[in-house]
Amino acid sequence: MKGVLFLPRTIFIGGAITALFLLAALLSFIWTPHDVTGVAIAQKLRPPFGDFILGTDHFGRDLLSMVMVGARVSLAVALVAVGIGMGLGVPLGLAAAARPNAWWSDAIMRLNDLIFAFPALVIAILITASFGASALNAIIAIGIFNIPVFARLSRGAALALWQREFILSARVCGKSDLRISAEHILPNIANILIVQGTIQFSLGILAEAGLSYVGLGAQPPLPSWGRMLADAQTMVSFAPHLALVPGLAIVLAVLGLNLLGDGLRDVMDPRLKERQA
Amino acid sequence: MSALCFSALTLRLAGRDILHDVSFEVPAGQITALIGESGSGKSMTALAAMQLLPAGAQMRGRITLGDQDLTGLDESALCQIRGRKIGMIFQEPMSALNPLQPIGAQVAETLILHQGLDPRAAMTQAQAVLARVGLPADQFPPDRYPHQLSGGQRQRVVIAIAIAAKPDVVIADEPTTALDVTTQAQILALLRQLVDEDGIGLLMITHDLAVVAQMADMIHVMRRGEIVESAPADRFFRAMQHPYSKALLAASTHQVDLIAPTAAPAPLLCVHDVRRSYGAPGLWRRAVKPALRGVSFDIAAGGRMGLVGESGCGKSTLARAILGLDPIDAGSITLNGAPVWRGGAPNPDIRRQIQVVFQDPFGSFNPRHKVQRLIAEPLHALRGAASLPQGAALRAMIGDALIEVGLRPDDMDRYIHEFSGGQRQRIAIARALLIRPQLIIFDEAVSALDVSVRAQILDLIADISARHGLAYLFITHDLTVVREITDDVLVMRAGQIVESGPTAQVLDAPQHAYTKTLLAAAPRLPQTHPE
Amino acid sequence: MIQFVMRRFLSLIAALAVSSVVIFLVIEVAPGDPASFMLGINAQPDTVAALRAELGLDQPKLQRYVSWVLGMLQGDFGISYTYRAPVGQMIADRLWVSLPLAIYALALSTLIAIPVGAYAAARRGRAGDMMVMGATQLGVAVPNFWFAMLLVLMFAIKLQWFSAGGFPGWEAGLGQGIMALSLPAIALALPQAAILARIMRSALLDVLGEDYMRTARAKGLSRPRAIWRHGMRNAMIPVLTILGLQFSFLLAGAIIIEQVFYLPGLGRLVFQAITQRDLIVVESVVMLLVFTVIMVNFLVDLAYLWVDPRLRGDG
């Protein structure tokens, strides 16, 4: 086993940033520096680094507190969307790979192609038009978009594995396709699924911010990073910190997850491993 | 006159010594062979001559071409040497050509680069070179792409690229290893002809003594980065000095002791008129390609059968059908009278009686499981039919299995990447033996191994089959292996068995024209009488 | 080869057909009646019924679906519930902003990303590569609409090189139009270019490890020439796939970024339509977006044919 010290630095940096945001989001449930619901016009539009570390918005709300509460929405939406994508996409991909000649295998992949034609924004527009805007829409829209990503990835990797001789050996021993998928295929593609999971997590944060920004995601009074940016837009010329703070929060969160994903890939990439062996 | 000369070449890469004090010459108009097992450093020698070593390689010593020292040249001068003065032929013709460019253009590129021809003249010249290597333009238009050619034809294109600019030296790194035996013979003949006609100095790098036995003028044996013996080819085989050369030759001419079965043979596996076709996928084109066209044969209990054929002849399809991995279109396959495929699914009873050992010692095991779990996998076939051993009993059982194949019981707690290729094949055999099957299929099971390891594995196979009265079907492209390890042999071509019979009889007095071609093409070692 | 094109074309038609059904159904299940919404709560029932008949809402679903699809095939997208104007015309006007914006951004990001990615791959592990990788790592993390706000702050408000938003219309001249779309296109293109450059780099690195690159070097090609003549085209195969996917991201991104620059594009149209419950506009815009994405992917498949002879089939 490799010592912890030899792990890529990106894992530590990315992991620390990600953990910071997760903790901030959790902490916001029990404590924030200031109240985010109350309006205090007297202290509106304070610049950062004064009484309020990140300044206040046009209602006098503390931006740091809002970023903390906003992290809840962003992280929860993106995380649940990854769960939807993995939970549905991976079994579909594994099934399609186990029986590549079955008619439904083809149907699964066609369905995937079809979903790819609907960017998350388009799905969100459709759902919002029918059912009204909410954070749940964002979860569903991004989650649906994640399904074909994981289905294609797991199918491709599984197809390559099914040709490997250790799978043929397992079949000779009479193991069922389901059992082989669970016992041999899934553990061997878990690496790339985890790496892709962190990437989709970060993409989900970006997508949620975009949806909230145009009003298709989380609704007031729930603060979210995208909505904070939308509110900031008209005031950006005289209070740039309103745009900078939530924007930097998004960049930092996404950057952290991407670094974590890169680091994990460096550690787990089977190609790198075989080169070392 | 010496065209290419290595003197005191030493090479370090990533902190490891790759080559140590290597000195030899490649004279013009001769074939110089560099022989060694995998990891001996022979391919690095070739890359050193081209000065195409991986980044970070530290080299000492001199490599001279004529009177020019290559080691001191800068990159642009080297570009004038590569392709113009030294041509190179690689092992994998499937990947050595740019898949997106027509073959004519790929040959012409060398000519444009080194002879200053304009594209049109270069293309005319390229056609002539392609014709010379056996790809005349009327049969193989130069606008063909690599994927439209067979492996042997692609290797001819690679050779054309190497010789187009009339280099003084050509380096061929395992040029025929990826090819079938008949194609190999043609490519070797072509190389010999080019040396004779153009006076090229050819450096042949190979692991196979037999390949160079008939064509090399000079032989250098390399082991762990050092040249341990150098001799003219005729003297080398008559009077080799170094123990390693002797061991190499002994392994190449290895003969296992096949103990004749004692009991009267009863039929075990019956393959009768098996047919199988592959359809191109999709609704539109169901171009049916027959892979098995009526194959019939029997294997007796304890029988040791060989199956020989070139790539694409259907031997893998046949193996998959017998193993119950794929259904067949027509005919029957039975083991002890019971069909291997029953009611649209593999017959579980048969699964307890057949096992398999594959070629690739790296791909045969789930890298995430320990050896104990890997070996225990066949027990799955017994569930419901017998009480499965657990805990200590299981460990004892697997320990015994490891001992039987020459490994230690405590190896069961290690992961597969900790083992060498030969050890992995031993583990594969232990796995196949665990449930005491009656038939094992060895699918090219020794093809990926170095010759000395191969000899040990063949001994092991002969030993265990005698001990357990085990029948096997040994699938291979290698006639020498068949001669060693089987009593009877089937020769397969284009989905049919063209000849069958006792191994010695088929190989010594072949009846079918194809068998004769195969035997004639197989490289052979000279009869030696070690002094 | 013709078979390949035919097969792809048929699956294009099938994808469009299924998409249209899905879109129609999702919009159909929307609660509430557009006619009563348009006329307000105090409308007389017979007025509502008359409007329903005028809009075709009283017909059975299947018939409405068929006439919607047939109408679209003839360029008739129906009448907007809110504006009582042909939806087709409304969309066409807006499309002249959104589509040029997406294409402008795609061109920009490709022109930036391919050379940058190739440069990084050629200098793998050296300072130039490190800088590119660092910059793209940051670029990938930046939301394009936020980047757009920063650009507005910098170049429109502080430096006043560009106007902060709005669109003069193509009638004002090509140069004016392009000028107005430049900041939005840059905001869209740079984050996408970061992704594409990373893809290009890894695709080229994969190709550099191939045997035929060694063959090219052994021929006497210098490293840069070998990369140019043999590496680039092979690396384009995975890059093409990503380009196809990126177009749909850019289209979606364009719709969002229009909000930052107050551009009269499809985005403004569709978001207004959502708040006004002008569902037929939403339906048609979504169908158009999906059609564009499917079409672009079809074109990418055709581009594969051009790049990769192995797909053209033998003979």
Side-chain angles (χ1 to χ4, degrees):
Chain A
M1 285 305 288
K2 267 185 291 189
V4 170
L5 289 174
F6 294 101
L7 290 172
R9 249 181 316 169
T10 45
I11 287 197
F12 289 112
I13 303 172
I17 296 174
T18 307
L20 179 75
F21 276 100
L22 284 171
L23 283 177
L26 289 176
L27 182 64
S28 75
F29 283 104
I30 50 171
W31 177 81
T32 51
H34 298 269
D35 182 28
V36 295
T37 46
V39 176
I41 300 296
Q43 51 197 24
K44 70 171 184 178
L45 295 178
R46 295 275 179 85
F49 310 119
D51 298 342
F52 300 89
I53 259 183
L54 298 178
T56 59
D57 73 353
H58 53 298
F59 291 129
R61 293 176 296 183
D62 172 42
L63 282 184
L64 174 62
S65 305
M66 289 182 73
V67 164
M68 284 172 67
V69 178
R72 271 189 227 163
V73 178
S74 292
L75 298 185
V77 167
L79 204 56
V80 175
V82 169
I84 293 175
M86 270 199 190
L88 292 173
V90 172
L92 285 175
L94 289 180
R99 298 275 172 80
N101 294 322
W103 64 267
W104 46 263
S105 167
D106 215 37
I108 288 174
M109 295 327 286
R110 290 276 152 268
L111 194 67
N112 275 320
D113 292 348
L114 191 70
I115 300 178
F116 257 129
F118 287 79
L121 177 74
V122 172
I123 302 177
I125 288 175
L126 265 182
I127 302 177
T128 308
S130 273
F131 305 104
S134 75
L136 187 65
N137 288 353
I139 291 181
I140 296 172
I142 302 169
I144 290 179
F145 183 75
N146 278 341
I147 294 172
V149 172
F150 285 101
R152 280 194 183 184
L153 183 73
S154 50
R155 174 176 173 270
L159 271 182
L161 282 174
W162 274 101
Q163 299 306 315
R164 294 276 292 271
E165 292 172 335
F166 71 90
I167 302 293
L168 295 180
S169 295
R171 289 177 63 199
V172 168
C173 297
K175 291 194 170 168
S176 67
D177 290 355
L178 185 65
R179 194 182 172 112
I180 290 175
S181 291
E183 189 173 311
H184 289 301
I185 306 277
L186 194 57
N188 277 294
I189 66 171
N191 284 351
I192 56 167
L193 290 179
I194 292 170
V195 171
Q196 191 67 38
T198 53
I199 293 171
Q200 293 307 117
F201 191 3
S202 75
L203 287 178
I205 291 176
L206 283 175
E208 191 278 332
L211 292 179
S212 301
Y213 172 73
V214 292
L216 300 181
Q219 294 300 304
L222 201 58
S224 81
W225 296 344
R227 276 183 32 71
M228 289 169 75
L229 285 173
D231 292 342
Q233 191 169 342
T234 48
M235 290 168 273
V236 75
S237 56
F238 54 88
H241 69 281
L242 290 188
L244 286 177
V245 167
L248 285 175
I250 297 173
V251 171
L252 204 58
V254 173
L255 193 65
L257 278 167
N258 283 343
L259 288 176
L260 183 63
D262 280 5
L264 288 175
R265 177 166 41 214
D266 287 349
V267 176
M268 303 200 280
D269 190 331
R271 284 184 297 178
L272 291 173
K273 197 167 259 175
E274 258 160 42
R275 237 174 273 157
Q276 287 165 356
Chain B
M1 186 196 98
S2 173
L4 185 65
C5 182
F6 298 82
S7 24
L9 188 67
T10 298
L11 187 70
R12 280 179 68 80
L13 185 62
R16 283 175 46 222
D17 282 314
I18 306 293
L19 297 176
H20 186 69
D21 200 20
V22 169
S23 300
F24 67 99
E25 295 179 354
V26 181
Q30 286 195 16
I31 297 180
T32 307
L34 185 61
I35 294 173
E37 296 189 298
S38 50
S40 62
K42 54 194 196 302
S43 291
M44 279 296 162
T45 312
L47 292 177
M50 297 299 275
Q51 294 285 296
L52 283 176
L53 289 165
Q58 299 163 288
M59 203 183 82
R60 279 188 292 119
R62 271 156 45 97
I63 304 171
T64 51
L65 180 73
D67 44 16
Q68 196 171 21
D69 187 352
L70 299 183
T71 43
L73 292 182
D74 65 8
E75 183 60 24
S76 67
L78 284 167
C79 285
Q80 295 300 314
I81 302 285
R82 297 184 197 126
R84 174 181 295 189
K85 297 286 179 62
I86 308 178
M88 182 137 186
I89 301 164
F90 299 97
Q91 173 171 355
E92 274 301 331
M94 290 302 172
S95 52
L97 295 172
N98 183 346
L100 307 185
Q101 219 178 45
I103 55 170
Q106 299 196 43
V107 178
E109 190 173 33
T110 315
L111 295 162
I112 296 172
L113 212 55
H114 294 303
Q115 301 193 337
L117 299 181
D118 63 86
R120 184 184 297 262
M123 192 55 92
T124 318
Q125 183 78 22
Q127 285 197 19
V129 181
L130 281 169
R132 197 150 172 246
V133 297
L135 299 173
D138 49 343
Q139 291 170 49
F140 302 96
D143 58 359
R144 288 264 173 104
Y145 286 92
H147 71 275
Q148 295 167 311
L149 302 179
S150 71
Q153 289 159 354
R154 290 187 209 191
Q155 196 62 311
R156 287 172 192 272
V157 177
V158 176
I159 293 174
I161 292 172
I163 64 161
K166 301 202 184 311
D168 304 329
V169 174
V170 169
I171 301 172
D173 187 1
E174 303 271 9
T176 58
T177 307
L179 302 175
D180 279 327
V181 57
T182 48
T183 317
Q184 163 170 286
Q186 293 160 6
I187 295 291
L188 291 178
L190 173 64
L191 289 173
R192 172 88 255 175
Q193 179 200 344
L194 293 171
V195 169
D196 291 345
E197 288 175 8
D198 295 3
I200 291 171
L202 177 66
L203 173 59
M204 239 336 247
I205 293 171
T206 178
H207 69 283
D208 191 343
L209 265 183
V211 163
V212 293
Q214 283 128 14
M215 64 186 287
D217 297 295
M218 188 76 187
I219 290 178
H220 305 278
V221 179
M222 183 171 255
R223 182 197 190 195
R224 292 188 199 147
E226 281 182 82
I227 291 192
V228 295
E229 181 157 13
S230 298
D234 50 345
R235 201 181 78 208
F236 178 81
F237 285 106
R238 254 187 305 113
M240 57 180 63
Q241 301 296 318
H242 197 276
Y244 180 67
S245 310
K246 290 178 182 167
L248 210 54
L249 183 67
S252 305
T253 55
H254 182 72
Q255 193 64 45
V256 304
D257 293 326
L258 271 190
I259 302 158
T262 44
L268 175 67
L269 177 78
C270 296
V271 175
H272 180 67
D273 196 29
V274 167
R275 288 165 195 279
R276 165 100 172 126
S277 305
Y278 288 113
L283 293 165
W284 286 78
R285 187 169 45 176
R286 282 238 174 255
V288 172
K289 192 169 155 282
L292 297 176
R293 304 190 296 171
V295 172
S296 303
F297 65 91
D298 293 344
I299 297 180
R304 294 165 295 205
M305 178 73 84
L307 174 62
V308 193
E310 297 188 297
S311 51
C313 74
K315 50 190 201 294
S316 297
T317 308
L318 181 60
R320 292 172 70 98
I322 296 172
L323 288 166
L325 293 176
D326 289 337
I328 52 178
D329 298 338
S332 68
I333 304 175
T334 58
L335 193 78
N336 287 326
V340 299
W341 192 272
R342 193 176 55 191
N347 182 348
D349 297 335
I350 298 302
R351 288 266 143 104
R352 293 170 197 133
Q353 297 166 44
I354 307 186
Q355 276 293 314
V356 62
V357 176
F358 288 109
Q359 168 177 4
D360 183 4
F362 295 89
S364 293
F365 302 98
N366 187 337
R368 302 192 171 273
H369 293 169
K370 287 182 177 169
V371 167
Q372 172 179 353
R373 186 160 174 201
L374 295 173
I375 293 186
E377 186 160 49
L379 291 175
H380 184 84
L382 298 184
R383 78 202 181 291
S387 62
L388 299 181
Q390 302 282 338
L394 179 65
R395 285 184 68 84
M397 182 180 188
I398 289 173
D400 290 345
L402 283 167
I403 291 170
E404 176 152 35
V405 296
L407 296 170
R408 291 173 304 134
D410 46 353
D411 286 333
M412 79 175 85
D413 294 319
R414 296 163 70 193
Y415 286 97
I416 197 68
H417 68 256
E418 300 172 53
F419 295 89
S420 70
Q423 287 171 325
R424 290 180 203 204
Q425 285 308 65
R426 288 176 189 273
I427 293 170
I429 292 171
R431 170 168 68 182
L433 276 177
L434 190 73
I435 57 171
R436 296 282 173 259
Q438 292 181 286
L439 176 70
I440 294 185
I441 294 185
F442 292 99
D443 190 354
E444 300 277 10
V446 296
S447 303
L449 303 176
D450 275 327
V451 51
S452 50
V453 180
R454 188 177 77 183
Q456 295 163 11
I457 298 294
L458 289 176
D459 281 340
L460 176 65
I461 292 173
D463 179 45
I464 54 160
S465 87
R467 204 178 316 151
H468 299 296
L470 182 71
Y472 57 74
L473 177 66
F474 202 101
I475 300 173
T476 180
H477 67 282
D478 188 338
L479 291 167
T480 53
V481 171
V482 171
R483 194 188 282 274
E484 272 190 71
I485 196 85
T486 65
D487 305 314
D488 297 280
V489 69
L490 309 162
V491 181
M492 193 164 185
R493 186 193 195 193
Q496 284 177 310
I497 307 285
V498 295
E499 185 163 359
S500 62
T503 307
Q505 185 187 317
V506 171
L507 296 189
D508 292 336
Q511 299 300 307
H512 193 276
Y514 178 68
T515 318
K516 291 178 186 168
T517 315
L518 271 185
L519 281 161
R524 213 163 307 148
L525 286 165
Q527 293 298 316
T528 51
H529 307 282
E531 290 154 33
Chain C
M1 176 171 164
I2 292 168
Q3 273 181 340
F4 178 85
V5 176
M6 279 302 293
R7 207 163 41 216
R8 291 298 302 134
F9 187 71
L10 279 186
S11 59
L12 166 107
I13 300 293
L16 286 175
V18 177
S19 308
S20 67
V21 172
V22 170
I23 293 167
F24 183 80
L25 286 180
V26 174
I27 294 293
E28 271 303 308
V29 296
D33 176 39
S36 27
F37 185 84
M38 285 162 68
L39 293 169
I41 349 167
N42 301 324
Q44 300 297 323
D46 53 332
T47 331
V48 174
L51 184 61
R52 283 178 60 85
E54 187 193 329
L55 297 173
L57 292 172
D58 53 347
Q59 291 162 345
K61 282 198 167 119
L62 182 66
Q63 196 179 336
R64 287 182 37 224
Y65 170 74
V66 170
S67 58
W68 177 57
V69 169
L70 286 179
M72 279 194 299
L73 288 177
Q74 296 158 2
D76 173 12
F77 288 76
I79 303 291
S80 157
Y81 301 158
T82 327
Y83 296 101
R84 300 292 181 91
V87 177
Q89 191 54 47
M90 292 166 67
I91 290 180
D93 291 345
R94 311 307 183 92
L95 199 59
W96 274 104
V97 178
S98 297
L99 201 59
L101 175 56
I103 292 173
Y104 190 178
L106 185 71
L108 263 184
S109 80
T110 312
L111 286 177
I112 297 169
I114 304 262
V116 168
Y119 169 82
R123 326 210 114 231
R124 176 185 203 171
R126 289 193 250 167
D129 181 30
M130 299 292 193
M131 275 171 56
V132 169
M133 290 304 282
T136 55
Q137 185 71 266
L138 194 64
V140 169
V142 171
N144 49 27
F145 61 93
W146 180 65
F147 186 50
M149 292 167 77
L150 296 187
L151 288 180
V152 169
L153 189 61
M154 186 74 197
F155 293 102
I157 296 173
K158 291 265 166 6
L159 295 173
Q160 310 222 326
W161 290 355
F162 294 87
S163 69
F167 187 68
W170 294 108
E171 310 83 56
L174 192 64
Q176 295 264 331
I178 289 180
M179 195 68 179
L181 291 185
S182 285
L183 271 194
I186 292 170
L188 266 178
L190 282 187
Q192 292 296 316
I195 299 175
L196 196 60
R198 290 174 83 88
I199 303 281
M200 179 68 202
R201 175 182 178 273
S202 71
L204 196 53
L205 281 180
D206 283 349
V207 166
L208 291 184
E210 292 283 343
D211 286 355
Y212 53 78
M213 293 305 291
R214 202 177 49 183
T215 308
R217 295 300 308 284
K219 265 180 194 178
L221 288 170
S222 65
R223 204 174 122 88
R225 263 181 99 173
I227 292 176
W228 179 248
R229 292 191 47 91
H230 295 277
M232 289 299 270
R233 201 162 151 198
N234 278 291
M236 283 318 287
I237 294 174
V239 169
L240 259 182
T241 315
I242 303 299
L243 267 183
L245 286 177
Q246 284 216 324
F247 189 78
S248 67
F249 285 120
L250 283 174
L251 208 58
I255 283 174
I256 293 181
I257 260 188
E258 283 165 9
Q259 304 302 301
V260 182
F261 292 93
Y262 307 101
L263 293 176
L266 285 176
R268 176 127 39 110
L269 178 67
V270 79
F271 294 130
Q272 272 174 7
I274 288 175
T275 40
Q276 294 163 342
R277 299 200 57 76
D278 198 348
L279 293 184
I280 188 151
V281 172
V282 175
E283 196 174 43
S284 301
V285 171
V286 165
M287 188 65 221
L288 183 78
L289 292 175
V290 169
F291 169 81
T292 316
V293 172
I294 291 177
M295 205 59 205
V296 165
N297 281 312
F298 176 67
L299 292 178
V300 165
D301 280 346
L302 294 191
Y304 279 134
L305 272 187
W306 170 66
V307 172
D308 192 343
R310 285 167 292 190
L311 295 175
R312 286 178 216 153
D314 289 1

